[in-house]
Amino acid sequence: MKKEDLFGAFTKAFGAGGDPRAYFSPGRVNLIGEHVDYNGGPVFPCALTLGTWVVARKRADRVLRMASGNFPLVKEIPLDNLKYLPADDWTNYPKGVLSVMAGKGHRVGGMDLYFHGDLPNGAGLSSSASIELATAVAADDLFGLAVDRVSLVRYSQEAENKFVGVNCGIMDQFAIGMGKKDHAVFLDCATLQYEHVPLALGTAKVVIANTNKRRELADSKYNERRGECEEAAKLMKVKHLVELSPAAFAKRKSQLGSEILLKRARHVVSEIDRTKRAVAVLKAGDLKAFGKLMNESHESLRDDYEVTGKELDSLAAAAWAVGGVLGSRMTGAGFGGCTVSLVEEAAVEAFTREVGERYTAETGLKADFYVAGIGNGTGRRA
Ligand code: GLA
């Protein structure tokens, strides 16, 4: 949707007047470093040019009105009684963020918020974190709070953890709040130290393929994996699995006692190592080596972490068989969602055709493909 149309849709929903402002908040794709953020490891995501727009206007009272161009639900609720309700659907994300901000003592007043997004829903490109940061940045700007960006990122994660009840790590909110055009964010999730690394991909493109499989039970399985990591860390007497180098892990893995915990921890330890190596080879301009590490990441998520499933495995395997593909892996939480691939520009068309056909033949589903634009983090755009 164009910016002028967004303001038009806002006025239609909430009436004219005041000083409505537009903000854009991206989605994210993670290039490597999967299921390591909550283990204190490094991740390497980037912000997309696909995302969520919000047009926001201050109100004189303490009422919150929310509408969206994507969903029929319209909500008008008192700002001082924000509760999670399953029936409130996507509006729980803005409610969660505003409730966390109020809890931290920030003086946010009533607002009219009109959202419009172009991220595929439930595809694992973080549409929820995109809405959270859109809300946090709009509220911060409209009420002149001047909260630093990393705190807004943390508030958004807290909204997801405590208000919505998904025990996610910091990666999605950080990538979305702190992303930079044509760069990936190399983030140490233990210290929040980060570096913007140029995505110098030469003639290669980042291609996202959506399985279009509904992510069933994804939240409960996600929380289960997180629990397994915590148990493994406890048995190996470390606070987080990041403290174990591959060599230290190999020496101490007998402490784990169960095959499942061994596999989960082995994924985390090896993925942390792969992510560090991947960033180093990318900086050295070795895209082939980067792609190979992406493939190994997928195999580890498939065999040891067990979060891929038939659809993601089919997309990845099909991609590995196409010429001009440097690497391909699942991205995000898994259990459905998307793969991310590095594909030579000249091969992108053959990639979408061949991978699409093979995927449909194997699963009966139709995949969608996007050549990802890598954009800036959340901010005011009008
Ligand atoms: C989801 C979570 C993130 C991260 C990824 C897996 O996207 O929100 O915090 O754990 O899964 O890497």
Side-chain angles (χ1 to χ4, degrees), residues 46-67:
C46 35
L48 299 170
T49 51
L50 292 175
T52 315
W53 284 93
V54 63
V55 179
R57 177 175 64 194
K58 258 203 280 200
R59 295 174 58 91
D61 56 15
R62 296 194 58 75
V63 168
L64 180 63
R65 291 198 294 182
M66 292 174 281

Side-chain angles (χ1 to χ4, degrees), residues 280-356:
V281 293
L282 180 70
K283 284 181 177 171
D286 190 349
L287 290 179
K288 250 178 120 176
F290 188 86
K292 193 162 168 278
L293 290 163
M294 289 175 80
N295 297 347
E296 287 169 19
S297 166
H298 184 92
E299 286 165 348
S300 175
L301 289 155
R302 180 190 66 197
D303 302 336
D304 276 351
Y305 218 62
E306 298 181 278
V307 291
T308 55
K310 177 170 114 197
E311 293 78 10
L312 286 167
D313 288 339
S314 166
L315 275 184
W320 295 338
V322 175
V325 176
L326 295 155
S328 184
R329 57 181 288 277
M330 60 149 271
T331 184
F335 315 107
C338 291
T339 60
V340 59
S341 309
L342 266 192
V343 185
E344 287 295 350
E345 197 169 3
V348 169
E349 213 190 298
F351 175 88
T352 49
R353 192 181 52 248
E354 287 172 35
V355 173

Side-chain angles (χ1 to χ4, degrees), residues 6 154 165-166 181 187 196-197 208 231 281 304:
L6 272 173
R154 284 183 191 274
V166 179
K181 189 177 183 329
L187 169 68
H196 285 130
V197 178
I208 295 170
E231 209 184 322
V281 293
D304 276 351

Side-chain angles (χ1 to χ4, degrees), residues 28 30 33-38 126 168-172 222 332-333:
R28 70 94 188 88
N30 187 23
E34 215 65 85
H35 284 283
V36 298
D37 61 348
Y38 51 84
S126 295
C168 68
I170 191 91
M171 172 172 75
D172 303 345
Y222 181 92

Side-chain angles (χ1 to χ4, degrees), residues 25 129-138 149 152-153 156 173 176-177 378:
S25 189
S130 176
I131 297 175
E132 286 155 10
L133 261 304
T135 308
V137 169
R149 181 55 66 95
L152 296 180
V153 163
S156 297
Q173 288 79 8
I176 287 169
T378 311

